[in-house]
Structures are given as C-alpha cells and as structure tokens.
Amino acid sequence: MGKTAKIKKLKKKVSKLKAKLAAAQDHTHEVSPLAPASFPDLPVIAGAKFSAVKAGVKYKDRLDVMLAELQPGTTVAGVFTKSATRSAPVLDCQAKLGGASDRGAAFLVNAGNSNAFTGATGDGSVAAITSAVAGALDVPQERVFTASTGVIGEPLPHTRITAKIDELKGLLTPDAMQDAAHAIRTTDTFPKGAKAEVKIGDRIVHIAGIAKGSGMIAPDMATMLVFIFTDAKIAQGDLQAMLSDLNEDSFNAITVDSDTSTSDTLLLAATGASGVEVDQDNAAFRTALNEVMLDLAHQVVRDGEGATKFVEVRVTGAKSNADAKVHALAIANSPLVKTAVAGEDPNWGRVVMAIGKSGAYADRDLLTIRFGDILVAEKGWVSPAYREEDGADYMKQDDLLIDVDLGVGEGTATVWTCDLTHAYIQINADYRS
C-alpha cells in the first residue's frame, strides 16, 4: 500500500473514532463520516419564532416536537410526496395551501410516528393538534400546518403532543431554529441546517432552513421533512412557483435507497418582515434560495443510512433532459453500483448495466464514462488509456463523481446519492424495535 493510501486510511479511522464519540454524546447512531463539521450559525428570520420540547411520542428523553410561529402576512408554499399512500398531515397541508395570509400561521412537527396509514384516526389526530395550536397562538386552524415522520401504520399518540402546546408556546424564541432541527430527526445522525443572504436594492434578505432525512429517500416532490424561512415579502403564487421550479433540481434530484416516503413535506414560509418585495423572476433571490435547498438536499444524502460515500452522478449528451434524469437515477439507485462504491471497486460495467436498464434511449457504442477526471470507457469499450489502479485509487475518496456522456443529444441531468453498506441493513432491520 502506497504512502498516500495509508494516510487516507488513517484519516478514515480518525474520522470514524470522532463520529463514535459524537454519537455517544448526541444520538443512538454513529454520526455520518460525511457530516458537516458543525451546524451553521443560522440567522434570525424576522417574523418567525421557534421552540422544541420532549414529548415522548416515541423517543425517550430527547427533543421530538417543534413549533414555528409565523407573523400575520406570512405566505406559505409547499411541495409534497406524490405517494398514493401519503399521510394524514400531508393531505391536510395540501388542502390548506393558498389560503388567506392576513393572519398568523404555524408549523408543528413531530418525530417518531408518521401518522401514515392510520385512516380516520390519523385525520382526527391532525384535527386535534391543529385545533390546539390554533387556540394557543390565536391563529386560524386552516393556517396551522403539521408534519409527522417515523413509523408507518401506528396511531399517533397526539395527546402527548397537545399536552405540550402551552410549553411550546412559552419557549418560542427567534433563535431556536437549531433546537427545531434536532426535534425533527428520526434515524438522522446529525441536525441539518443551511442559510443564505441576498442584497436586494439596498436591503439584505435572509433565508434559513432545516431538514430531516436519512432513509426512505427517493423523493417524488421534496425529501422527508424540510422547512425553509425567509423574511422577504413574496406573494403566495410567486413563492409556490419558485419552490416548485427549484425543487426539481435539488430535493427531487437526490436518492438514498430508491424509496419514496409517505410523509415527504417541504414548506417554505415568507414572513415579509424585511419589507423587501420579491417576485418569482428575481434572479438574486432565486439563486440564494436554490443554494439553501441544494445544501439541505446534499446533507440528506451525506446522512444516508450507513453512508460512507457521497456520489454525484452527472449525465450529459442524452436525447432530452428528461432522458438524462432517467439514466442518472438508474445509476444512482442501482444496488450493484452503490455496493461497488461502498467496496471502493471501480466497476464501470455496473454503470453500463444501469444505463441499459433505465428505459431511456442510449447507444452502447457512443457511451463515454469517467470516474472524476479519469476516462474509463468510450465508444462501447474500456478506454485504452485506462488503468484499473487509477480507478481503484479514485474510489477511495469520500466524494465521488460518476460522469456519463451518452453522445446522442443535448440533454443533461445531475443527481446525488450515496453508497449502500451493511449498516443500512442494520439500521432498517432494527427500526421498529
């Protein structure tokens, strides 16, 4: 083994030891070796307050319910799972979008139980929670949005949540978004936050968001639970248009395990407290919002259950952008590709396989495949210049690029995924117990 490889191996061991120490202090699972060094210092979003409590919905002695109170005039946009078995909270949120925003609003989120596949009982739980929050904060019940994440098919013990509403109200403060990020976690090994600021005219607008997600990630809307807040003043229609558009190349372009959740919810709230008016064509604001969404989406992948590698799959030269995304997701979701990545095996044949099975158009003899900057295959065969040891050395990195050019058109797409390790099986085999 060369000196460089030994150093990389040693660094990995040190990283894993640090992760175990952090996990012992913070959570039941080891912190992902791909986790950011720290949680970001999120800005205060004027017009928004947050709190979090330990309600014991499922987890013992940990934050598991968060509340966000939003000032009158706040507009709310959202994207949700397209699952045919979506949860009661998702259906309720979808029905409430687009309503009047002259009065305040609130988000309440619990972890540990998804309130999905719970029939009329689930609807009753949502009604009880939204009624309790509405009464406590003096906001209309149709302006209270809830989200739940966790085990599917078990009744939500909502009285444990409603019993904590007064406590949540009393703890509300503008600088508690990090506590909220902790409270929405299930198998996540670290809380996820992102921020951006943008100058519009002579004023600064702030954006901050939190997310949870680790497994059951192959979004068909957003990913698991994401909540983003800005002090910009944006009409609901413009806010929705921006969110739906930017979502396609951020949260809808990640996958951990090819499974779409019943509970996927992404809510975006614009309080208007800055007084800075923004519309859907404001390029500076769109860029900043996109940065926050991409950052959170990538953190979800970096916290993929059992993940040790972050993988960007870039496809160019497809017949269309839609075809390119089909190919990219076929590669990113392939268990054979993902296990090869986990084993640091530059098995480009599995990439060829994934392209062939995707269903989108491809020509075997026009394919070009690269791992990072390494040309691996071209014109239907391995490149004469390719050396297996170069590919193997590249696969030892934590962040990888699988680059495919189909050579049949101008379509492009990029998706992000992680490897598939034995730890994924362990986490999910033990999930309910």
Side-chain angles (χ1 to χ4, degrees):
M1 184 182 292
K3 185 177 180 181
T4 300
K6 287 181 179 179
I7 292 173
K8 286 182 179 179
K9 192 172 182 179
L10 181 60
K11 285 182 177 179
K12 278 190 176 182
K13 286 183 178 180
V14 171
S15 176
K16 287 180 180 179
L17 286 172
K18 287 181 178 179
K20 286 181 178 180
L21 177 61
Q25 296 170 337
D26 183 54
H27 203 259
T28 54
H29 300 298
E30 291 182 13
V31 175
S32 168
L34 305 174
S38 62
F39 191 85
D41 184 16
L42 298 181
V44 166
I45 302 297
K49 296 180 180 179
F50 305 89
S51 61
V53 299
K54 301 173 182 178
V57 174
K58 175 186 176 184
Y59 304 108
K60 303 299 182 184
D61 197 33
R62 57 157 280 191
L63 297 174
D64 63 349
V65 177
M66 63 81 65
L67 176 67
E69 181 183 30
L70 305 164
Q71 72 173 25
T74 297
T75 53
V76 178
V79 285
F80 306 90
T81 181
K82 295 176 183 175
S83 168
T85 55
R86 53 195 181 275
S87 69
V90 168
L91 293 170
D92 185 65
C93 284
Q94 288 179 306
K96 290 175 175 176
L97 280 184
S101 58
D102 55 319
R103 294 181 64 185
F107 298 166
L108 185 137
V109 188
N110 76 269
N113 182 305
S114 71
N115 194 16
F117 203 61
T118 48
T121 298
D123 297 334
S125 294
V126 170
I129 293 168
T130 56
S131 175
V133 172
L137 300 185
D138 191 26
V139 300
Q141 190 170 353
E142 60 268 21
R143 292 275 286 165
V144 179
F145 300 84
T146 66
S148 300
T149 180
V151 174
I152 294 171
E154 295 182 3
L156 176 66
H158 63 260
T159 56
R160 298 179 189 177
I161 298 172
T162 55
K164 293 288 185 175
I165 299 300
D166 287 341
E167 183 181 350
L168 283 162
K169 178 182 177 181
L171 293 172
L172 285 166
T173 178
D175 59 359
M177 206 183 304
Q178 182 171 354
D179 287 342
H182 277 280
I184 63 177
R185 297 158 66 192
T186 52
T187 58
D188 302 54
T189 70
F190 61 89
K192 300 166 182 66
K195 63 179 180 177
E197 64 177 40
V198 56
K199 189 172 185 180
I200 299 176
D202 59 353
R203 305 279 294 280
I204 298 295
V205 167
H206 296 95
I207 306 171
I210 58 175
K212 71 83 50 186
S214 187
M216 204 182 287
I217 303 293
D220 194 9
M221 46 55 66
T223 179
M224 296 304 292
L225 303 183
V226 185
F227 306 98
I228 302 175
F229 307 87
T230 178
D231 53 14
K233 186 175 183 180
I234 312 174
Q236 199 278 334
D238 283 351
L239 193 68
Q240 185 65 55
M242 273 191 288
L243 181 65
S244 297
D245 186 28
L246 296 175
N247 176 63
E248 286 307 308
D249 294 321
S250 56
F251 293 109
N252 256 359
I254 62 172
T255 178
V256 168
D257 49 21
S258 81
D259 285 331
T260 296
S261 172
T262 59
S263 306
D264 289 339
T265 297
L266 165 52
L267 293 174
L268 169 59
T271 69
S274 68
V276 179
E277 295 192 10
V278 173
D279 62 30
Q280 63 178 304
D281 297 321
N282 189 295
F285 183 84
R286 286 175 65 94
T287 296
L289 177 58
N290 188 56
E291 288 175 1
V292 170
M293 292 172 69
L294 269 179
D295 190 343
L296 291 172
H298 288 182
Q299 287 187 56
V300 170
V301 174
R302 290 184 179 278
D303 201 16
E305 290 170 341
T308 65
K309 307 283 188 181
F310 177 82
V311 185
E312 178 177 327
V313 180
R314 185 187 304 160
V315 174
T316 57
K319 274 197 167 183
S320 65
N321 290 344
D323 269 14
K325 193 165 186 178
V326 169
H327 283 302
L329 286 171
I331 296 166
N333 282 325
S334 166
L336 289 177
V337 172
K338 292 160 75 72
T339 50
V341 171
E344 300 181 342
D345 176 11
N347 193 335
W348 54 273
R350 293 183 177 180
V351 176
V352 174
M353 173 279 302
I355 293 166
K357 74 165 186 174
S358 77
Y361 181 79
D363 185 325
R364 179 196 65 189
D365 296 331
L366 297 177
L367 282 179
T368 299
I369 300 172
R370 287 181 170 85
F371 292 155
D373 293 331
I374 301 169
L375 178 61
V376 177
E378 58 181 341
K379 299 176 182 177
W381 188 239
V382 64
S383 170
Y386 176 65
R387 300 191 322 147
E388 183 75 2
E389 54 265 38
D390 292 339
D393 189 53
Y394 176 75
M395 297 299 286
K396 291 181 170 61
Q397 299 184 33
D398 291 338
D399 286 26
L400 301 170
L401 169 64
I402 298 175
D403 189 332
V404 175
D405 188 271
L406 294 160
V408 296
E410 302 297 325
T412 66
T414 302
V415 303
W416 296 271
T417 190
C418 58
D419 55 345
L420 181 61
T421 68
H422 191 266
Y424 179 88
I425 299 171
Q426 290 178 308
I427 291 167
N428 285 284
D430 296 339
Y431 183 60
R432 291 205 304 167
S433 55

